[in-house]
Amino acid sequence: MSEGTMQRRAQRDDQRARRTMRAGGLNRLLAAAAAVPVMLIAAGCSSGSDSGSGDESGAAQKSGGASASTSPSAEPTVQAAAYGALPEACGVLSKKTLTALVPKAPAKGKEGASSDTAARASCSWSSLDNNGVKGSQFRWLNVSLVRFETDAASSGEQQAQEYYAKQVQDVAATAGAKNPKSQAVAGTGDQATTVRYDLKKSEGAFKQQTVVSRVENVVVTVDYNGAGLAGDKTPDAAALVKSAELAAKEAVASVEAANGEGAGGGSSLPTPSKPSSTAPSKSPSASASASAAKKS
């Protein structure tokens, strides 16, 4: 083989080797290029997964924050008291009514002691009609007003209902009461009951009428007591009851008027054949009885 032939063969082998090397490099480059999208896709999936977790976590935090910031459901409130005032106790009855029930009583009643007249007040009147040798007619009238405020435990109206029921029971259970009788009274506030009984005292036989009424969160109690002293006849119980119930109706109307309802004012009371009067839930005061005995 000639020297020229050998050189040409060597050149061809060298060219083939270079082509092979170039082909190998290109293949590696293509393989690397093909791997890049796969890596990008994998990275994208991984990033999406992390982002989702973050969103869920953020949503949970938001949800938790909202739930924590949401105020708890408000507790049911107790109903506010309907009435916030009481009338002046000595002014709840008209002059006409006082003249019919306690004709010999001073023009102004005796106001009861109270540390808060907006919550509790009372007034009383005493009357003694001296008929000389025929004896005397004694009457005693008392009006008490109690107003209840709503508190955290119960409404003013609920407290008034409880007090009203207790008042009726206590009057019926008065010591020494004879033949106690109770009856409901219509048209006087939201609830009203009359309790009547006889009470025997050394001064005479007393007829006791107590009317307990409730209007909203206020309880009105009217005590009306009558007796014939020093030989005068015992007053008619039915007439005393009627007078006491009309007085209670008028007192309730005065409570309503003091709180912007109704007009209050005088009841249509019959003029008794003998002076009417009132008495406390229990026996009349000793001073009143003593005074009656002296004048008789």
Side-chain angles (χ1 to χ4, degrees), residues 41 83 183 292 296:
I41 290 171
Y83 290 164
Q183 62 186 41
S296 63

Side-chain angles (χ1 to χ4, degrees), residues 151-168:
D151 57 27
S154 58
S155 68
E157 183 175 1
Q158 181 180 346
Q159 295 175 59
Q161 289 173 343
E162 294 171 355
Y163 181 78
Y164 164 84
K166 187 176 185 301
Q167 278 285 87
V168 172

Side-chain angles (χ1 to χ4, degrees), residues 206-231:
F206 289 82
K207 296 290 183 180
Q208 171 69 37
Q209 289 66 227
T210 299
V211 185
V212 184
S213 310
R214 180 188 68 81
V215 56
E216 296 290 357
N217 56 308
V218 176
V219 175
V220 178
T221 304
V222 172
D223 292 306
Y224 189 45
N225 188 321
L229 306 178

Side-chain angles (χ1 to χ4, degrees), residues 84-161:
L86 289 178
E88 183 184 356
C90 290
V92 296
L93 300 179
S94 66
K95 182 178 179 180
K96 178 181 178 181
T97 298
L98 291 173
T99 299
L101 270 66
V102 281
K104 299 300 181 179
K108 184 173 178 60
K110 181 180 179 182
E111 186 176 357
S114 174
S115 59
D116 182 4
T117 55
R120 184 182 295 269
S122 65
C123 191
S124 62
W125 298 261
S126 293
S127 172
L128 182 67
D129 185 9
N130 192 338
N131 296 307
V133 295
K134 294 182 179 180
S136 304
Q137 285 290 322
F138 175 77
R139 301 290 186 271
W140 193 88
L141 174 66
N142 185 78
V143 177
S144 70
L145 313 168
V146 182
R147 185 180 64 85
F148 295 89
E149 281 284 4
T150 291
D151 57 27
S154 58
S155 68
E157 183 175 1
Q158 181 180 346
Q159 295 175 59
Q161 289 173 343

